[in-house]
Amino acid sequence: MRFRSMARHLSESFSSSSQPYLSYHDILLTTEDIRALKGDWLTDNNIAFWEEWLEREVLPNYPKARVVLLRPSITFLLMQTIDIKGISSALPDFRNVTHIFLPINDSRDRERADGGSHWSLLLVSVIDRVAFHYDSLGGANFYEAQRCTDRLGRVLGIPLRFHQLEDCPQQPNSSDCGVFVCILMRHLLIKRLLVAGSNEKVSMSMAGKMIDSHGGRKEMLRIIESLRKEGERRRSASPYAKPNTPPRIE
């Protein structure tokens, strides 16, 4: 099964049974995802949507970029599966890739991808063979990030050095870890990797970076609502649209 198909299948499988809200390419957001985004712990789908949006709206402006945004469900598979080689068909083609972003979840239950309680971000520089870990709750996901680094290194066939970023901005509460992951991901992608020259050394430090988690939630909601309105417009204009289906952008 191709990477995108597997990611979409797992994303939908791990979703709650709430009502569909927006179908955006390979991601199906539900009303439960929207509720979580307004003030709770972000779901797999929230983060997967953000990655999908960055891939569709940002990365096309940088055709030479070789960056992979691995979905939470695929990162979970990578960390929990016993046979790493057995999930090769679910993984993207990492050849010529320079950097990989991985949302890390602390769930250790192989049967529940949504069973954890904390998100952090792992950014792997394949060209430098270093994995940078950004944890907004101290070292809460230190073990999980190290495990993911080791397993990804085995997939890539290269040793990866693990580096915990001690200057990562810290969340002020128990629910904003996923928002921090999304904001840090976009900042590192747009402000660091995509604007750097081919021979330029990129700093991965987040020293002094301020995170507005409330503003981040509002911005993500604005993006979703804008896409939903566009999906509704397309649905109403199409003679082939099926009734009782969520607005769709594809």
Side-chain angles (χ1 to χ4, degrees):
M1 185 180 293
R2 292 170 59 243
F3 165 60
R4 286 192 174 278
S5 298
M6 175 67 83
R8 181 175 187 177
H9 170 73
L10 290 169
S11 176
E12 293 177 355
S13 297
F14 295 151
S15 298
S16 75
S17 58
S18 60
Q19 294 299 311
Y21 193 78
L22 171 67
S23 181
Y24 179 71
H25 296 285
D26 291 323
I27 304 300
L28 177 62
L29 288 171
T30 69
T31 52
E32 175 64 21
D33 297 321
I34 302 305
R35 184 199 64 78
L37 186 53
K38 289 180 178 179
D40 204 347
W41 192 76
L42 262 59
T43 65
D44 288 40
N45 268 356
N46 291 141
I47 296 177
F49 165 80
W50 189 244
E51 292 180 306
E52 187 84 9
W53 184 79
L54 288 172
E55 282 187 352
R56 302 286 181 175
E57 306 298 332
V58 175
L59 284 179
N61 298 321
Y62 302 87
K64 293 184 179 180
R66 297 294 179 265
V67 180
V68 167
L69 309 180
L70 212 60
R71 302 295 186 264
S73 54
I74 303 302
T75 301
F76 178 79
L77 271 183
L78 176 64
M79 293 177 65
Q80 299 298 334
T81 188
I82 297 175
D83 180 15
I84 294 181
K85 293 183 178 180
I87 64 168
S88 58
S89 61
L91 297 174
D93 185 355
F94 290 123
R95 289 176 297 180
N96 301 319
V97 168
T98 62
H99 296 84
I100 306 170
F101 285 86
L102 304 95
I104 304 295
N105 187 281
D106 63 350
S107 175
R108 299 185 185 181
D109 185 346
R110 290 195 179 100
E111 302 301 321
R112 289 193 60 197
D114 60 348
S117 60
H118 182 53
W119 290 108
S120 61
L121 177 66
L122 192 68
L123 170 54
V124 176
S125 174
V126 181
I127 54 178
D128 297 316
R129 300 190 175 188
V130 181
F132 300 93
H133 184 222
Y134 300 86
D135 194 331
S136 61
L137 199 60
N141 274 1
F142 186 87
Y143 167 81
E144 287 78 11
Q146 276 196 322
R147 176 180 173 83
C148 188
T149 298
D150 174 70
R151 288 184 154 239
L152 183 60
R154 289 161 62 185
V155 169
L156 297 174
I158 59 174
L160 293 174
R161 180 166 55 90
F162 179 78
H163 183 56
Q164 178 85 11
L165 272 296
E166 301 298 339
D167 58 11
C168 178
Q170 298 295 287
Q171 63 193 77
N173 52 41
S174 61
S175 60
D176 278 345
C177 53
V179 184
F180 270 62
V181 165
C182 291
I183 295 175
L184 287 169
M185 183 187 299
R186 181 173 64 175
H187 180 81
L188 289 164
L189 178 66
I190 298 177
K191 301 297 185 179
R192 301 295 176 85
L193 301 183
L194 296 181
V195 299
S198 58
N199 297 320
E200 183 179 349
K201 187 173 180 60
V202 180
S203 171
M204 295 299 183
S205 170
M206 285 289 103
K209 170 65 177 176
M210 301 297 293
I211 301 293
D212 177 10
S213 55
H214 179 68
R217 289 179 185 272
K218 290 178 65 176
E219 180 182 8
M220 293 172 72
L221 284 167
R222 283 197 300 268
I223 291 171
I224 291 171
E225 291 304 321
S226 176
L227 292 169
R228 190 168 192 265
K229 288 180 180 178
E230 174 60 19
E232 289 175 337
R233 186 194 66 78
R234 295 183 186 184
R235 182 175 59 184
S236 63
S238 173
Y240 305 105
K242 297 180 180 179
N244 302 320
T245 58
R248 178 168 180 79
I249 300 292
E250 58 181 351

